[in-house]
Amino acid sequence: MALRQTKEDATTARLEGCSLPEGGSWATAARKSALARLQDMGLPTRRDEYWKFTRPDTLTSSEVPRAAVFDPKDEPPVFDAIDRLKIVFVDGVFDPEASDDLAMAGVKIERLEHAAESDIHWAKELYGKLETNGQTPVQRPLAAMNTAFATDGLIIHVTKKAARPISLIYNHGSDDSDVLLHHVIKVEPGAELTVLENGPAAARFNKVMEVEVCDGAAFHHVRAQGRDHERRAVTHLFGRLGAESTFKSFTLTANGVLTRNEVVLEMIGDDSVAHVAGAALGDGDFHHDDTIFITHDAVNCESRQVFKKVLRNGATGVFQGKILVKAGAQKTDGYQISQALLLDGDSQFLAKPELEIYADDVACSHGSTTGAIDEEALFYLKSRGVPETEAQDLLVKAFLAEAIDEIENEEISEDLTARLEGWLVRRRG
Amino acid sequence: MLEINNLHVKLEEEDKVILKGVSLSIGAGEVHAIMGPNGSGKSTTSYVLSGRDGYEVTEGTVTLNGEDILEMEPEERAAAGLFLAFQYPVEIPGVGNMTFLRTAVNAQRKARGEEEMSAADFLKFIRAKAKTLKIDADMLKRPVNVGFSGGEKKRNEILQMAMLEPKMCILDETDSGLDVDAMKLVAEGVNALRDEGRSFLVITHYQRLLDHIKPDVVHIMADGRIVKTGGPELALEVEHNGYADILAEVA
Ligand SMILES: Nc1ncnc2c1ncn2[C@@H]1O[C@H](COP(=O)(O)OP(=O)(O)OP(=O)(O)O)[C@@H](O)[C@H]1O
Ligand SMILES: [Mg+2]
């Protein structure tokens, strides 16, 4: 009980002086209920089982840990060569000057700030709703906090196949920016959308994206979390998949002192497909956590989790991945792999792969490995004249390839591969 | 070309001596063969020459064109013109054969201060070489040696040799695992590379390969030493009588 009390007190202290944003009735109701959820759960502490491997204190503290603004002038911005609709946020605030027109055939894009003002809005059926669903069986208080207090973000309604990706660019403007962003996306039956995300965003970034993928619809998500060293981020991607729908998400992360990316998917329509993948490259005080929870609640659905991390100089990688197959979710095909390549003895990979299955006709497999660079392969490469660092980079890229192969769009995949190569070369010093 | 003088090698991790004074001198343009019973130290010799970790040279010298190579990194030895076709080629999942070869060719050129080969030139070059070795486009695209048959792996070694155009080529049992036709292909690949400025050290158990790649000198290695050196007839003798006579004779 003492623990419970400590948690309650800490949460109360953190929320002191924070008031819910003003808005129309639907938004106010959603925010109030999120605040109630948050107060009920309390903010995470390191004693929580779900935060065993990642210390949440710097994500929950009242004081914002500073992060110097990092400007990678030595390379073009990510996704620069991709034809896309650009939407820019600076420290979490929409920047109309830097953004394209929020107009595309079959896609309606609104700002949360505006949508929240009206008393009636379709977003009501999603905003905070997928997040609420995602609170059981495991609590995600930082997501509830986001629902309660976020003022900016996008409400995107997709009724057709979008002609080009929507590219969300998060610029970082000041050393102590503490940012909440909340996006809601609905992809109507048969429609398709690709969302790209990149940029450091803020000193501390808490982002929630709730995505409803209706029957026969497709949602693709590709994200790059860049080279800035000091930023901290906790992100939640909630998805609900209808029948015969597709949901694919890939994240490339290079550095960042603390990143926790949670992906929480409910597969409620038969024959849907969900692929979640990530490649991370960490150095030094890098701490990177992928926490994935996929619930199969329909027949004949396929889910894949492919996560790879390359760690050196004391970097830490975390993977908590779960496949939950509910009773009746027959013919489920679930696959999960998490692997780390440790380039030295100081780095560590902490993995907790989990399967929980209540249906009898399913095929699920999971595996997790931690390994060092293959010395035989390294020697083979060197014996052909490839210098040590280059040989190591080749093996690193080879290791990450299985995750990067999960990106369906070739152009985007090439862009990220080029990015990765640049990072590897620069890292050689 | 290659001078090995009184080479003594032990394992780094344990007190096991493997090479006990190997001496060998290969002139430019020459082909030497090494034969010898299993475990006599043939592969170890090839690994030590190419700079693999795990061995400690306790005595002796090795020079390539007058340059001491024992202090060099494996990649420096390669750039200096040394090539080893592995007895057991290594599989590298995730690294495409083509990417691998291009990286290697250009790394060596860079190390020698030469210009890198353009993507187009490289493609033309590799296609031509692959064709003569009957290596199809699919094998070039696949990850290095992954899922290759034993014979395909060996042909892939020869392809690498052809692409890298080394000065000193060491072939460690490149013939084992090859069918008759593949052996001919490999031998042709080797013979096509023969010239005055290039030397070969061919490690083999069988006379068969030496029918195709005619050696100038044949050495017999036993228990970490070269125990007998002779002409091509020495290989025939081994083929007919095994090693017993030779070993008895030198004992
Ligand atoms: N890393 C090692 N650890 C232990 N023993 C080793 C190691 N490397 C070589 N040896 C031993 O050294 C001896 C020589 O091995 P090597 O592979 O050079 O023989 P080889 O002449 O190539 O034989 P083969 O004809 O069977 O290929 C063998 O007894 C082998 O077991
Ligand atoms: Mg051998």
Side-chain angles (χ1 to χ4, degrees), chain A residues 270 296-300 325-332 358-360:
Chain A
D270 296 347
H296 283 260
D297 199 5
V299 173
N300 198 34
V325 182
K326 290 206 172 170
Q330 303 296 8
K331 308 268 184 234
T332 287
Y358 298 100
D360 49 22

Side-chain angles (χ1 to χ4, degrees), chain A residues 81-219:
Chain A
I82 312 279
D83 180 25
R84 64 212 160 121
L85 186 130
K86 284 194 274 188
I87 304 178
V88 178
F89 293 84
V90 179
D91 279 341
V93 180
F94 173 67
D95 180 349
E97 298 294 305
S99 302
D100 292 337
D101 246 0
L102 302 189
M104 185 160 37
V107 184
K108 187 168 182 215
I109 308 168
E110 293 170 83
R111 290 179 61 193
L112 170 62
E113 200 187 15
H114 296 148
E117 278 167 11
S118 49
D119 282 323
I120 302 173
H121 198 282
W122 68 264
K124 174 182 179 207
E125 40 173 295
L126 285 184
Y127 187 91
K129 291 293 189 289
L130 299 190
E131 175 252 294
T132 306
N133 293 351
Q135 299 293 357
T136 38
V138 193
Q139 298 182 341
R140 308 171 201 281
L142 288 165
M145 181 160 116
N146 181 299
T147 302
F149 295 102
T151 55
D152 220 329
L154 298 173
I155 310 290
I156 302 174
H157 190 210
V158 190
T159 48
K160 282 195 190 139
K161 180 174 166 140
R164 28 183 204 149
I166 291 180
S167 174
L168 308 178
I169 299 161
Y170 306 127
N171 290 335
H172 180 185
S174 73
D175 289 5
D176 59 355
S177 50
D178 190 18
V179 167
L180 302 172
L181 268 186
H182 197 120
H183 306 302
V184 169
I185 300 170
K186 183 168 187 182
V187 191
E188 293 286 358
E192 274 179 43
L193 178 71
T194 297
V195 170
L196 309 175
E197 290 184 288
N198 72 287
R204 182 166 70 182
F205 189 39
N206 175 334
K207 193 207 66 190
V208 167
M209 187 182 277
E210 295 177 283
V211 187
E212 162 121 70
V213 192
C214 299
D215 296 352
F219 175 73

Side-chain angles (χ1 to χ4, degrees), chain A residues 376 380-382 384-385 390, chain B residues 52 75 84 108 157 160:
Chain A
E376 290 281 321
Y380 192 66
L381 290 167
K382 291 203 287 188
R384 296 314 184 230
E390 231 175 297
Chain B
R52 185 180 165 134
E75 61 269 31
L84 167 64
Q108 290 203 13
E157 294 291 292
Q160 292 168 40

Side-chain angles (χ1 to χ4, degrees), chain B residues 11 14 16 18 36-44 55 87 173 205:
Chain B
L11 291 178
E14 32 180 312
K16 181 168 176 178
I18 299 177
N38 292 132
S40 55
K42 303 180 298 295
S43 291
T44 303
Y55 304 102
Q87 182 174 1
E173 291 196 30
H205 286 296

Side-chain angles (χ1 to χ4, degrees), chain A residues 36-53:
Chain A
R37 273 196 299 285
L38 171 60
Q39 284 166 330
D40 184 47
M41 295 183 271
L43 284 165
T45 72
R46 56 186 305 203
R47 325 264 302 245
D48 290 318
E49 178 67 19
Y50 217 43
W51 290 86
K52 194 164 73 180
F53 301 134

Side-chain angles (χ1 to χ4, degrees), chain A residues 172-379:
Chain A
H172 180 185
S174 73
D175 289 5
D176 59 355
S177 50
D178 190 18
V179 167
L180 302 172
L181 268 186
H182 197 120
H183 306 302
V184 169
I185 300 170
K186 183 168 187 182
V187 191
E188 293 286 358
E192 274 179 43
L193 178 71
T194 297
V195 170
L196 309 175
E197 290 184 288
N198 72 287
R204 182 166 70 182
F205 189 39
N206 175 334
K207 193 207 66 190
V208 167
M209 187 182 277
E210 295 177 283
V211 187
E212 162 121 70
V213 192
C214 299
D215 296 352
F219 175 73
H220 293 265
H221 172 242
V222 180
R223 159 168 67 175
Q225 298 175 314
R227 290 156 57 205
D228 41 318
H229 303 295
E230 296 174 11
R231 70 172 160 79
R232 288 159 207 276
V234 55
T235 75
H236 290 84
L237 174 56
F238 295 99
R240 182 159 68 193
L241 281 73
E244 293 178 25
S245 67
T246 303
F247 181 109
K248 293 194 179 174
S249 172
F250 174 86
T251 302
L252 176 67
T253 310
N255 277 334
V257 70
L258 177 59
T259 308
R260 164 116 159 181
N261 292 328
E262 296 197 20
V263 181
V264 185
L265 304 180
E266 317 164 64
M267 308 183 77
I268 58 166
D270 296 347
D271 309 307
S272 58
V273 173
H275 291 189
V276 189
L281 210 60
D283 212 324
D285 56 3
F286 169 96
H287 183 107
H288 186 274
D289 175 336
D290 282 302
T291 291
I292 316 296
F293 200 113
I294 298 182
T295 305
H296 283 260
D297 199 5
V299 173
N300 198 34
C301 294
E302 173 199 318
S303 75
R304 260 174 90 78
Q305 303 174 33
V306 180
F307 287 87
K308 302 258 189 166
K309 298 183 206 285
V310 180
L311 306 167
R312 67 172 200 180
N313 293 331
T316 301
V318 175
F319 175 80
Q320 306 191 97
K322 178 148 181 174
I323 307 173
L324 169 62
V325 182
K326 290 206 172 170
Q330 303 296 8
K331 308 268 184 234
T332 287
D333 176 1
Y335 173 76
Q336 180 198 86
I337 181 107
S338 64
Q339 295 183 309
L341 177 63
L342 306 184
L343 298 184
D344 54 50
D346 300 332
S347 305
Q348 59 172 346
F349 180 54
L350 306 162
K352 190 177 173 195
E354 280 183 286
L355 288 178
E356 196 177 326
I357 301 174
Y358 298 100
D360 49 22
D361 182 14
V362 301
C364 282
S365 65
H366 67 167
S368 182
T369 64
T370 304
I373 209 106
D374 179 349
E375 291 296 335
E376 290 281 321
L378 198 64
F379 172 64

